[in-house]
């Protein structure tokens, strides 16, 4: 039943995409040529425009199937849908423009194409969001549910049960547990589903309860020998099997399965920025953004230069060694905000509130983050990125890597001027452990749109921060 529902939903999506494209085409054509709001002159008949509109509509569907836009995404966030929609419409638009160039169709209105492409993109996002909201509402009301059976009522199985119960919008409900050693889950609140049998009763349980859609294997490593038989039973019953590794705490949020020497491997630290295309996109954006930022803020930097010279003796720029990409050290630039001191003091002493080393003008620079403007030059030199984990001094890196689990993982990407941790208030004298949690989330979930979101949050929240000492 679930698979039939999914196929039906996919068919609905395809038909709705085509219908939206047709309605948007008619709306764009009317707005351009009949509304009187825009120039209505056209040397091509309606039939020609309809032909190209149809090509664009069907291109969306074909490309959508090719990139997985119509694949089941019950467990995905809406941001994943948006990314796929951006990909579909970008490729479809480029395809249509390429065909127009190849066929030498020069008389078609560019203004109409811009209206059509933009409206198709926005309508696609709009109705997908509406469907997502409706499905979420239905699932919270108890409709369109999937039932899962958890094998193992130990700590891993109970933890998964709790996570699932806290995310009712996914529409999953635990049917019960199978476990060989426990009679009841270790819980006195009555919130856990019951243990309905032992592992060797799996085949009978699935046969007697056809409502079970998926089986979650949450067994300890000692039960590894049973996995093959359990999976075979689930396959025989036509039920999906998912395995939670007993060592899942060591894995990233999105583990990547690789193939090496013909053997499947779990890549524990695969991140999106390992891919060349993603790195080139991010680096290109960094360069362009930095050039624009330097051009815009150059009057501000000149004023800061003058202010430092007038208020404190010493150099304007402060260079400090930080640990960057691939654990390599680099000199990070800042406007000097403190009185001159020895390198040992600045490299090994943490900045605190009301730090006596700060100058009056420097306190203002640090509070407003204007002291970090020279780091755009670090970005141009390839030492930093606009968005990424903040770099730290070698002395503290050596300290934190022994005290904070997975601290060194953040050096798999270039450090940033701003980051996910900073936009969530983790600056200055705040928890290093919390920062690393946010940094790892950024590494494992990077997308170009995520970078844009962080930049927008940085701008909208303002650069002033109470923890920036």
């Amino acid at each position: 039943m679930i698979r039939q529902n999914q196929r039906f939903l996919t068919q609905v999506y395809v038909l709705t995409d085509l219908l939206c494209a047709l309605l948007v085409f008619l709306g764009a054509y009317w707005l351009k040529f009949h509304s009187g709001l825009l120039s209505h002159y056209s040397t091509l008949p309606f039939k020609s425009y309809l032909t190209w509109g149809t090509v664009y509509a069907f291109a969306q569907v074909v490309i959508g199937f090719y990139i997985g836009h119509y694949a089941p995404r019950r467990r995905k966030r809406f941001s994943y849908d948006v990314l796929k929609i951006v990909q579909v419409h970008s490729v479809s638009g480029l395809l249509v423009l390429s065909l127009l160039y190849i066929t030498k169709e020069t008389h078609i209105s560019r203004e109409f194409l811009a209206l059509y492409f933009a409206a198709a993109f926005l309508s696609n996002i709009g109705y997908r969001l509406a469907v997502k909201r409706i499905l979420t509402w239905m699932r919270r009301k108890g409709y369109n549910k999937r039932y899962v059976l958890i094998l193992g009522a130990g700590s891993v199985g109970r933890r998964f049960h709790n996570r699932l119960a806290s995310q009712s919008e996914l529409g999953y409900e635990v049917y019960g547990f199978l476990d060989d050693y426990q009679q009841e889950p270790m819980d006195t609140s009555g919130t856990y589903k019951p243990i309905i049998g032992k592992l060797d009763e799996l085949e009978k349980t699935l046969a007697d309860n056809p409502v079970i859609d998926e089986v979650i294997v949450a067994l300890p490593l000692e039960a590894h020998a049973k996995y093959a038989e359990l999976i075979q039973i689930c396959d025989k019953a036509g039920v999906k099997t998912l395995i939670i590794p007993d060592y899942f705490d060591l894995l990233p949020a999105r583990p990547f399965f690789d193939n090496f020497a013909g053997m499947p491997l779990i890549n524990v630290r695969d991140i999106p920025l390992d891919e060349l295309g993603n790195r080139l996109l991010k680096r290109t954006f960094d360069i362009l953004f930095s050039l624009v930022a330097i051009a815009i803020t150059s009057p501000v930097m000149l004023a800061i230069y003058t202010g430092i010279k007038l208020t404190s003796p010493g150099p304007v720029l402060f260079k400090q060694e930080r640990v960057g990409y691939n654990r390599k050290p680099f000199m990070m630039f800042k406007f000097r905000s403190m009185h001159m001191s020895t390198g040992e003091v600045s490299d090994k002493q943490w900045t605190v509130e009301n730090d006596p080393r700060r100058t009056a003008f420097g306190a203002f620079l640090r509070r407003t983050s204007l002291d970090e403007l020279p780091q755009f030059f670090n970005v141009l030199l390839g030492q930093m990125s606009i968005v990424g984990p903040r770099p730290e001094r070698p002395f503290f890196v050596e300290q934190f890597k022994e005290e904070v689990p997975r601290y060194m993982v953040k050096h798999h990407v270039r450090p940033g001027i701003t980051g996910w941790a900073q936009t969530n208030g983790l600056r200055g004298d705040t928890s290093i452990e919390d920062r690393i949690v946010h940094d790892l989330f950024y590494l494992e979930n990077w997308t170009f749109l995520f970078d844009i979101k962080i930049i927008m949050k940085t701008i909208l929240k303002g650069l002033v921060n109470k923890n920036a000492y």
Side-chain angles (χ1 to χ4, degrees):
M1 179 64 70
I2 292 292
R3 292 183 181 86
Q4 291 176 351
N5 288 343
Q6 186 57 54
R7 283 197 295 270
F8 174 73
L9 191 58
T10 298
Q11 293 168 0
V12 169
Y13 276 139
V14 171
L15 292 175
T16 309
D17 280 349
L18 292 174
L19 180 61
C20 271
L22 174 62
L23 294 176
V24 165
F25 165 80
L26 294 174
Y29 190 86
W30 175 84
L31 184 63
K32 169 62 180 170
F33 299 112
H34 296 287
S35 67
L37 300 174
L38 302 170
S39 171
H40 59 272
Y41 176 75
S42 175
T43 58
L44 293 177
F46 173 78
K47 182 179 178 180
S48 296
Y49 281 95
L50 181 61
T51 299
W52 289 111
T54 304
V55 169
Y56 183 74
F58 278 95
Q60 290 179 52
V61 174
V62 173
I63 294 166
F65 273 111
Y66 179 75
I67 68 170
H69 185 42
Y70 297 106
R73 53 172 56 87
R74 191 183 186 107
R75 305 184 190 99
K76 303 288 187 182
R77 296 185 177 184
F78 184 65
S79 58
Y80 179 84
D81 279 345
V82 173
L83 177 61
K84 290 296 181 182
I85 292 171
V86 169
Q87 292 174 340
V88 164
H89 286 274
S90 298
V91 177
S92 300
L94 288 173
L95 176 63
V96 169
L97 293 176
S98 300
L99 290 175
L100 287 170
Y101 177 78
I102 292 171
T103 58
K104 298 181 179 179
E105 186 68 88
T106 59
H107 297 292
I108 194 165
S109 169
R110 272 51 174 174
E111 197 172 42
F112 164 79
L113 290 176
L115 284 172
Y116 181 34
F117 291 171
F121 170 73
L122 294 175
S123 66
N124 208 213
I125 288 181
Y127 95 78
R128 287 279 181 146
L129 178 60
V131 170
K132 191 86 171 177
R133 292 281 175 85
I134 291 171
L135 289 175
T136 297
W137 177 82
M138 290 177 61
R139 288 162 185 165
R140 282 177 173 161
K141 293 293 184 180
Y143 302 104
N144 188 234
K145 278 200 171 184
R146 285 194 182 199
Y147 291 91
V148 299
L149 178 68
I150 302 177
L151 306 187
S155 60
V156 176
R158 297 196 309 274
R159 196 164 169 184
F160 177 76
H161 177 283
N162 294 341
R163 294 279 185 90
L164 212 54
S166 67
Q167 300 183 48
S168 59
E169 70 276 5
L170 296 177
Y172 282 89
E173 184 173 327
V174 175
Y175 189 83
F177 292 87
L178 295 184
D179 194 280
D180 286 341
Y181 300 103
Q182 298 190 54
Q183 297 300 315
E184 292 294 334
M186 291 184 293
D187 172 60
T188 58
S189 64
T191 58
Y192 286 106
K193 295 292 182 176
I195 295 177
I196 57 178
K198 297 184 179 296
L199 293 179
D200 57 10
E201 299 176 50
L202 173 61
E203 187 170 6
K204 182 178 184 303
T205 302
L206 294 179
D208 293 344
N209 302 279
V211 296
I212 297 174
D213 302 294
E214 298 180 9
V215 170
I216 308 297
V217 181
L219 297 171
L221 287 176
E222 305 88 75
H224 180 265
K226 299 181 179 181
Y227 279 33
E229 181 184 358
L230 296 173
I231 293 171
Q232 186 177 12
I233 291 172
C234 292
D235 288 343
K236 182 180 177 181
V239 175
K240 287 185 177 181
T241 313
L242 296 93
I243 299 174
I244 304 176
D246 194 33
Y247 48 87
F248 74 96
D249 281 339
L250 302 176
L251 298 178
R254 297 179 181 178
F256 176 76
F257 285 85
D258 209 340
N259 187 288
F260 186 65
M263 296 291 289
L265 302 175
I266 299 177
N267 190 330
V268 175
R269 284 291 165 249
D270 180 81
I271 58 176
L273 285 171
D274 285 339
E275 296 181 17
L276 178 61
N278 290 338
R279 291 203 308 272
L280 287 175
L281 174 62
K282 186 172 176 65
R283 182 65 185 140
T284 302
F285 175 78
D286 282 344
I287 293 172
L288 295 176
F289 190 96
S290 296
L291 290 172
V292 172
I294 290 171
I296 293 174
T297 61
S298 55
V300 178
M301 287 194 278
L302 181 60
I304 293 172
Y305 176 92
T306 305
I308 294 173
K309 278 294 186 183
L310 293 175
T311 57
S312 173
V316 171
L317 280 183
F318 173 67
K319 301 177 185 178
Q320 189 177 62
E321 186 178 22
R322 299 287 176 113
V323 179
Y325 182 48
N326 281 337
R327 307 179 305 282
K328 294 179 180 177
F330 72 99
M331 301 305 293
M332 189 179 78
F333 307 140
K334 299 180 84 172
F335 281 121
R336 184 172 57 83
S337 59
M338 295 189 176
H339 296 289
M340 295 297 296
S341 62
T342 64
E344 185 175 352
V345 172
S346 61
D347 291 342
K348 297 183 179 181
Q349 186 170 331
W350 202 260
T351 308
V352 296
E353 189 173 6
N354 299 319
D355 198 310
R357 295 174 297 162
R358 296 179 308 174
T359 65
F361 186 59
F364 164 75
L365 295 179
R366 294 179 73 88
R367 191 167 57 252
T368 57
S369 300
L370 292 174
D371 61 323
E372 296 178 358
L373 287 177
Q375 288 164 35
F376 286 115
F377 292 98
N378 285 118
V379 175
L380 289 180
L381 293 172
Q383 299 163 334
M384 294 181 67
S385 178
I386 300 298
V387 179
R390 286 294 292 169
E392 193 47 82
R393 288 160 282 183
F395 174 79
F396 291 108
V397 169
E398 291 299 316
Q399 176 183 329
F400 294 149
K401 77 176 184 180
E402 302 295 338
E403 301 173 354
V404 182
R406 299 184 291 179
Y407 179 82
M408 297 301 289
V409 175
K410 75 174 193 174
H411 299 110
H412 287 330
V413 298
R414 285 186 178 90
I417 296 177
T418 186
W420 184 233
Q422 286 66 46
T423 57
N424 283 278
L426 297 170
R427 289 188 59 187
D429 189 15
T430 53
S431 169
I432 302 299
E433 289 81 2
D434 288 345
R435 287 195 219 179
I436 290 302
V437 169
H438 285 76
D439 287 342
L440 292 183
F441 180 85
Y442 171 77
L443 263 66
E444 295 168 3
N445 297 274
W446 179 90
T447 63
F448 181 68
L449 292 178
F450 194 13
D451 271 3
I452 299 299
K453 176 181 178 179
I454 292 171
I455 292 171
M456 293 304 296
K457 283 190 71 174
T458 302
I459 295 172
L460 293 175
K461 282 191 170 185
L463 301 177
V464 178
N465 191 282
K466 63 180 182 180
N467 294 321
Y469 307 141

